[in-house]
Each structure stands twice: as structure tokens, then as C-alpha cells.
């Protein structure tokens, strides 16, 4: 039948795939969980919209004031800011973007050009892309308000910038997934990232040092010549030529931008052609001739003893087995392990900006205020995976319902590894903060420790319930599309807000009563209540798991 069908144009192929995706979305809304997922993502998008609107005012006034004041060379700053934001943020927030499902698209008889265009279009659906496009349009509106004749050339410039930046973002993401598919590449990339993040600690002192030696801001303008060959500077060159009616300058800038577009488009085409031909990214070794099978030797008594002693002695066998499995998942999943480095690196960055001997703000923040806030931020970052505890189980979730085990032991093992990782990260961030800004007072330190126990333990039953009710399958070692269900996201934010409000009220009792140890005593009581509530929730959650069997299998076995 395929031979009898007529050729389908490129536009028809894209239209059919878009229509299919839209129909799949509409059909998925027949399920209650998918409707709640969509509502949750709309809730998250509302807060994302606020993050976009606030900087939009700055970009509008920057475009208007710089054009009207004739300081066109400074337009490079907002262009560079948008360019860097679009390239870097998708690396750290890859899970919230639209995933380009190569394997799914390869089921359709698409041409390589349609495959390329659909993959490129997916890059425009990411939050950083939408925010950057909005800021570019707002900056264009500001420049046009100052000089209406700039509208045509500004539209051409931002069109080239958008095409170039989305192509670079897709190319970088594709190469990162290929590089990080191998364990050695992940370790090398992780080492480079740690080095770069720790290097940011010295940026502010260096800037302050050179600013004191060279108070004239014109000295820093000399660095602009080194950035002239790059796209943001070329865009400014086009705008400057349009204002001054210098057509040579405009031609140089447009030629440079067009050349970059063709260069990165060619590189991205090579990557997508490889994926179009069925490239698989995996740590598995290449197929080879298998060795002849030999009869297994019987285990000696010593080997049996060592096998039995491999489980932690203080834990039940099932909990210990779950603990080892979850730890193996953690160290083998490069992107999950990569996120463990972010909190300590961010503590260094925040402490250099808001604390230390030379903070950027007018007055130095006290450690008693800064320390609890940063610990709460660390818990907020690290609690996300607990709200989708079965994300990497896949078809193995069926084993939990057929093997003679209890879900209370499964939850205990998963929660124990989550609490251990959070505790390790909190301890590491606490050491970094104590070194950078000083240690807090003993009452605040003990209050923070008990508050963290209360916050983490109080969220674990909610996270377990969300994992059963709104599961979402994630691919092991993948970069894109790795986000929890929209409902789980807003449940997590809601729980964090409620517990943060309770913690703020308890901390405020120290000033009201004049007793600095009262918050520590209050949090100790709340932590004990949270621990009791957690252990009491395990059995009801085990019963709920039996009722949610079909939901889990349907979501994780697709």
C-alpha cells in the first residue's frame, strides 16, 4: 500500500505530526491524572510567567534608553545576557523542556528534512527559549520606540539571533547527551563543571580588585574587541550600522550572523542525520562473540557467608536490598549524580555575593539569618526526586507486585537513601557556608538541624503518596524530558510553602519570647511528631499501593 500512496510534501509531514501530537494531548485529557498534570504545569507556568515579565521591563528600558542616548555599543550587554541565558539554563533545567522523542518519530515515514525541522521546533518550546524570545521582542519594542526606523532591521536581527541560538542550543544538548552517555565522559565533564563552579568564587574579588586599580569604566570597554566576532556583538554591529546609515557595517554584521547560522545548522544536521539513522546512546558494550558457557561452580561456605553479610546488619534484608539498588541507580545515573554538585557550588556563589568580608550588597548578612535560609534552599532543591520515587523502575515495577515483599519496606529503603543524600548535601553545604561566612550561633544551629529533620520527614509521606498517585516514567541517564508530573511539582511546592511557613513562625518565637533556645525545642518536638507520623503512614501507603497498581504499571511500563 505504501507504494500506491503519493508523495507527501514537507509541509504535510510536519502538519500531520503536529496534528497527531495535538490529538494525543486531547485524548490524554480523558484521564483524570493527565488533566491534573496539565493543571499543575499551568500552575508552574504562571510563576514562570512572573519570572519573564519582571526582567522584560529592564530589557524594554535598556533598548529604549541606549538607542535614544546614542550608546549603541552597550546594546551588546542585553544581547549577551539573553544569549548566555538561552544556552546555559537548558542544561540545568533540561527536565522542564519539551522532549524530542526521536524513537517515536522514527516510526513515521518522515523525510530527514521534516525530522530536522521538527527537532528544531521542539527547541522553541523550552521555557528558556520562550523567555528569551519574549525579551528580544520587548527590547526590539524599546529600540523601536526610540527610533521607529529601526523596526525592519531589528526584526531581521532577532530572527537571525533566534534561529542561531535555538540551533546552538539543540546542538549543545545533542552533543551533551552523546558525551554523557559514557561513564568516563560523565566523570570528565563533572570534574570540569566542579572546577568552573568553584572558580566563580573568585570572579567578584577579581572584579573588585581591578575596579579599585582602574576606577575608569572605559578600561573595561577594551574587552569588547575580543567579543566582536561573536553573534551578540555582530547583532549590535548591524543595529549600529542601521542608525548611522553605514551599509558596510550592516553587511559585515549580517554576513557574520548568516555564516554562524549556516555553520551550526550544518553541524546540527549531521547530528540529526545520525539519530535519524537509528543512533543509540548507551553504556552497554558493543556486541561480541560470547565465550563458551561453563558449569557454575558451587558456592563455598566462605562465599555464602560473604554474600549474606553484604546487606547492612542494622537494616532488614529487604530494606538493605532496596538501599543498595537505589545507591546503584544514583551513582550510575550521570545527570542525577551531577545534581549533587550543584548545591555546594551554589552555596559558594551565594556566599560570595551576599556574605563574606566583601559582599555585593550594602550590609553583610548575619550567619544566623543566612544559614537557615540556605539550608532550606538546599532541601527545596534535593527533595524533588522523592516525589517520583518509582521514576526509574520501568517494567520492574511489576516485580514489586509479584514478589513476596511489602511496600512499606520499599518505601523505607527509598526514603532512607533520599534522607541520606539530603543529609550529606546539607552537611556539605553547612561546612561550605561556615567557611565562607562563619558558623551560626549554637541555638540557631540546633534549631536548623531539628527544622531540617522536621521538614524532610514531614514531606516523605506526602512524597510517597504523590509517587503512587501521579507517577511519571523517566529514562535512565537521559537529559531531556526528565521532569516529574505537573501535579507532583505543585504538590511539592505547596508542601514546601506550608512547612516553610511553620518553620518561620517557630523561628520568630525566639524574638517574641527572648529565649534563643525556644525554636530548637519547638523544632525538636515537631521532628518527633513528624517521625511518628512517617512510621504510621507506611502501612496505609502499602495498602494504597495495591489500589494504585494499575496506575503505576500503566505509567511506568509504556
Amino acid at each position: 500500500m505504501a507504494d500506491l500512496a503519493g508523495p507527501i510534501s514537507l509541509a504535510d509531514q510536519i502538519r500531520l505530526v503536529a496534528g497527531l501530537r495535538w490529538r494525543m494531548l486531547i485524548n490524554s485529557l480523558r484521564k483524570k491524572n493527565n488533566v491534573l498534570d496539565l493543571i499543575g504545569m499551568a500552575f508552574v507556568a504562571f510563576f514562570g510567567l512572573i519570572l519573564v515579565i519582571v526582567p522584560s521591563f529592564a530589557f524594554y528600558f535598556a533598548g529604549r534608553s541606549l538607542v535614544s542616548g546614542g550608546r549603541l555599543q552597550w546594546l551588546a550587554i542585553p544581547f549577551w545576557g539573553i544569549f548566555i541565558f538561552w544556552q546555559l539554563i537548558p542544561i540545568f533545567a533540561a527536565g522542564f523542556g519539551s522532549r524530542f522523542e526521536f524513537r517515536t518519530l522514527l516510526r513515521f515515514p518522515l523525510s530527514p528534512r521534516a525530522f530536522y525541522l521538527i527537532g528544531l521546533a521542539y527547541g522553541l518550546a523550552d521555557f528558556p527559549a520562550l523567555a528569551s524570545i519574549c525579551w528580544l521582542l520587548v527590547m526590539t519594542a524599546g529600540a523601536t520606540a526610540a527610533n521607529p526606523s529601526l523596526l525592519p532591521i531589528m526584526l531581521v536581527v532577532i530572527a537571525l539571533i533566534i534561529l542561531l541560538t535555538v540551533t546552538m542550543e539543540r546542538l549543545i544538548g545533542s552533543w551533551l547527551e552523546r558525551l554523557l552517555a559514557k561513564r568516563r565522559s560523565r566523570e570528565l565533564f563533572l570534574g570540569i563543571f566542579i572546577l568552573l563552579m568553584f572558580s566563580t568564587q573568585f570572579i567578584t574579588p577579581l572584579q573588585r580588585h581591578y575596579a579599585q586599580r582602574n576606577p575608569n569604566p572605559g578600561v573595561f570597554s577594551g574587552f569588547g574587541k575580543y567579543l566582536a566576532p561573536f553573534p551578540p556583538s555582530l547583532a549590535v554591529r548591524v543595529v549600529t550600522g542601521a542608525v548611522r546609515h553605514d551599509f558596510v557595517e550592516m553587511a559585515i554584521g549580517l554576513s557574520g550572523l548568516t555564516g554562524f547560522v549556516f555553520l551550526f545548522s550544518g553541524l546540527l544536521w549531521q547530528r540529526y542525520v545520525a539519530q535519524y539513522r537509528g543512533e543509540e546512546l548507551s553504556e552497554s558494550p558493543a556486541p561480541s562473540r560470547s565465550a563458551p558457557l561453563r558449569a557454575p561452580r558451587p558456592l563455598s561456605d566462605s562465599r555464602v557467608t560473604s554474600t549474606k553479610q553484604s546487606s547492612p546488619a542494622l537494616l532488614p534484608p529487604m530494606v538493605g536490598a532496596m538501599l543498595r539498588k537505589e545507591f546503584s541507580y544514583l551513582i550510575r545515573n550521570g545527570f542525577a549524580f551531577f545534581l549533587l554538585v550543584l548545591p555546594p557550588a551554589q552555596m559558594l556563589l551565594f556566599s560570595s555575593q551576599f556574605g563574606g568580608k566583601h559582599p555585593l550588597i550594602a550590609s553583610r548578612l548575619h550567619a544566623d539569618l543566612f544559614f537557615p535560609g540556605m539550608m532550606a534552599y538546599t532541601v527545596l532543591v534535593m527533595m524533588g526526586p522523592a516525589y517520583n520515587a518509582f521514576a526509574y523502575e520501568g517494567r520492574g515495577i511489576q516485580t514489586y507486585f509479584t514478589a513476596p515483599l511489602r511496600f512499606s519496606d520499599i518505601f523505607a529503603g527509598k526514603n532512607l537513601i533520599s534522607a541520606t543524600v539530603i543529609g550529606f548535601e546539607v552537611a556539605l553545604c553547612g561546612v561550605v557556608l561556615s567557611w565562607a561566612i562563619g558558623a551560626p550561633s549554637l541555638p540557631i544551629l540546633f534549631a536548623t538541624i531539628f527544622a531540617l529533620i522536621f521538614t524532610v520527614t514531614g514531606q516523605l509521606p506526602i512524597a510517597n503518596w504523590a509517587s503512587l498517585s501521579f507517577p511519571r516514567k523517566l529514562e535512565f541517564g537521559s537529559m531531556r524530558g526528565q521532569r516529574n508530573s505537573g501535579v507532583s511539582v505543585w504538590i511539592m511546592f505547596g508542601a514546601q510553602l506550608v512547612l516553610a511557613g511553620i518553620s518561620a513562625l517557630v523561628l520568630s518565637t525566639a524574638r517574641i519570647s527572648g529565649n534563643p533556645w525556644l525554636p530548637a525545642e519547638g523544632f525538636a518536638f515537631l521532628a518527633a511528631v513528624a517521625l511518628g507520623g512517617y512510621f504510621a503512614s507506611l502501612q496505609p501507603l502499602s495498602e494504597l499501593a495495591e489500589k494504585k497498581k494499575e496506575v503505576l504499571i500503566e505509567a511506568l511500563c509504556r
Side-chain angles (χ1 to χ4, degrees):
M1 295 298 292
D3 297 334
L4 300 178
I8 303 177
S9 64
L10 177 63
D12 289 336
Q13 294 181 49
I14 298 175
R15 179 180 57 81
L16 290 173
V17 172
L20 176 62
R21 298 288 296 184
W22 175 256
R23 180 51 55 188
M24 291 171 61
L25 174 63
I26 297 300
N27 292 339
S28 66
L29 295 181
R30 297 177 181 177
K31 298 180 181 179
K32 181 180 178 181
N33 281 4
N34 292 337
V35 175
L36 294 176
D37 186 18
L38 185 61
I39 295 174
M41 292 309 299
F43 179 79
V44 175
F46 173 74
F47 289 97
L49 183 62
I50 297 176
L51 296 177
V52 174
I53 292 176
V54 175
S56 296
F57 291 100
F59 282 106
Y60 176 83
F61 287 110
R64 183 172 182 175
S65 60
L66 292 177
V67 172
S68 61
R71 295 169 295 177
L72 299 175
Q73 69 276 11
W74 294 103
L75 273 176
I77 295 178
F79 271 117
W80 271 106
I82 295 173
F83 183 80
I84 294 174
F85 174 85
W86 197 339
Q87 298 302 320
L88 290 184
I89 295 302
I91 299 176
F92 303 108
F96 293 92
S98 296
R99 185 181 171 198
F100 187 18
E101 299 178 350
F102 291 100
R103 296 179 183 177
T104 303
L105 287 179
L106 288 177
R107 299 173 183 174
F108 305 102
L110 296 175
S111 65
R113 289 186 298 167
F115 188 80
Y116 174 85
L117 291 176
I118 293 174
L120 196 65
Y122 267 71
L124 297 174
D126 288 343
F127 169 75
L130 296 175
S132 300
I133 292 173
C134 178
W135 293 335
L136 286 172
L137 293 175
V138 167
M139 189 169 63
T140 300
T144 304
N147 188 348
S149 63
L150 283 180
L151 179 59
I153 195 64
M154 284 293 294
L155 291 178
V156 173
V157 168
I158 65 170
L160 289 173
I161 288 291
I162 290 173
L163 181 58
L164 170 63
T165 314
V166 71
T167 304
M168 288 185 61
E169 186 268 330
R170 303 306 287 178
L171 179 64
I172 292 173
S174 178
W175 272 107
L176 277 179
E177 285 196 351
R178 181 176 182 180
L179 292 175
L180 299 182
K182 301 298 182 182
R183 189 179 186 88
R184 291 185 178 179
S185 301
R186 286 203 302 267
E187 293 172 352
L188 179 61
F189 184 82
L190 185 63
I192 295 174
F193 175 78
I194 295 174
L195 180 63
L196 291 177
M197 293 301 295
F198 274 87
S199 299
T200 57
Q201 178 74 9
F202 305 100
I203 292 178
T204 301
L206 287 175
Q207 289 178 342
R208 187 179 296 108
H209 174 71
Y210 283 106
Q212 291 176 353
R213 294 184 59 182
N214 302 287
N216 183 13
V219 176
F220 297 97
S221 62
F223 290 102
K225 63 182 181 180
Y226 300 106
L227 303 177
F230 295 99
S233 299
L234 292 174
V236 176
R237 198 166 184 175
V238 176
V239 178
T240 304
V243 172
R244 298 175 181 175
H245 302 286
D246 188 345
F247 296 103
V248 175
E249 196 78 1
M250 291 176 57
I252 294 175
L254 289 174
S255 300
L257 288 176
T258 307
F260 273 111
V261 169
F262 279 105
L263 173 63
F264 287 104
S265 297
L267 295 175
L268 183 62
W269 173 266
Q270 291 183 349
R271 286 295 308 132
Y272 278 2
V273 165
Q275 292 171 338
Y276 181 80
R277 293 172 178 171
E279 179 187 59
E280 288 286 343
L281 302 178
S282 174
E283 289 191 58
S284 302
S288 59
R289 185 182 298 274
S290 59
L293 296 178
R294 297 180 180 179
R297 293 186 302 174
L299 293 175
S300 62
D301 295 338
S302 61
R303 292 175 65 187
V304 173
T305 303
S306 63
T307 303
K308 292 182 178 180
Q309 292 179 352
S310 61
S311 301
L314 299 178
L315 298 174
M318 183 54 62
V319 177
M322 288 298 303
L323 190 67
R324 291 197 307 274
K325 181 181 75 69
E326 293 295 321
F327 182 74
S328 177
Y329 278 9
L330 177 65
I331 61 176
R332 290 187 60 199
N333 191 348
F335 292 101
F337 191 72
F338 171 75
L339 293 177
L340 299 180
V341 187
L342 285 180
Q346 289 175 329
M347 294 303 108
L348 275 177
L349 181 62
F350 292 155
S351 61
S352 65
Q353 303 299 317
F354 301 102
K357 298 180 179 179
H358 303 285
L360 292 182
I361 60 175
S363 59
R364 179 177 180 269
L365 289 178
H366 197 273
D368 286 352
L369 296 176
F370 195 70
F371 189 84
M374 290 296 99
M375 294 298 100
Y377 172 78
T378 304
V379 172
L380 174 64
V381 173
M382 300 302 300
M383 277 300 299
Y387 282 81
N388 194 14
F390 301 101
Y392 299 108
E393 300 294 347
R395 298 185 181 277
I397 191 67
Q398 302 177 46
T399 307
Y400 292 153
F401 294 103
T402 57
L405 50 85
R406 296 176 299 177
F407 259 81
S408 58
D409 294 333
I410 297 173
F411 279 125
K414 289 180 175 291
N415 296 154
L416 183 59
I417 191 67
S418 298
T420 303
V421 170
I422 294 174
F424 174 77
E425 289 292 307
V426 166
L428 185 58
C429 292
V431 172
V432 171
L433 285 177
S434 300
W435 170 76
I437 65 174
S441 60
L442 283 180
I444 295 297
L445 177 61
F446 280 97
T448 303
I449 293 174
F450 288 123
L452 293 176
I453 296 175
F454 160 66
T455 303
V456 174
T457 310
Q459 288 187 77
L460 286 178
I462 304 174
N464 293 336
W465 174 80
S467 300
L468 291 174
S469 302
F470 309 102
R472 189 181 184 91
K473 182 180 179 180
L474 303 183
E475 287 194 9
F476 191 81
S478 181
M479 177 180 175
R480 290 200 164 272
Q482 306 302 290
R483 67 168 179 86
N484 291 350
S485 168
V487 185
S488 298
V489 172
W490 64 260
I491 288 176
M492 181 185 69
F493 282 142
Q496 294 275 8
L497 288 175
V498 171
L499 294 176
I502 296 174
S503 301
L505 290 176
V506 175
L507 286 174
S508 63
T509 58
R511 292 191 175 186
I512 298 174
S513 63
N515 181 7
W517 287 97
L518 185 59
E521 297 171 357
F523 279 125
F525 172 76
L526 291 176
V529 172
L531 284 171
Y534 169 76
F535 288 110
S537 68
L538 290 177
Q539 183 58 35
L541 286 172
S542 297
E543 298 174 359
L544 179 64
E546 291 295 330
K547 299 178 182 179
K548 297 291 184 178
K549 180 191 305 183
E550 294 182 359
V551 176
L552 288 168
I553 294 176
E554 180 184 3
L556 302 178
C557 295
R558 290 185 296 180

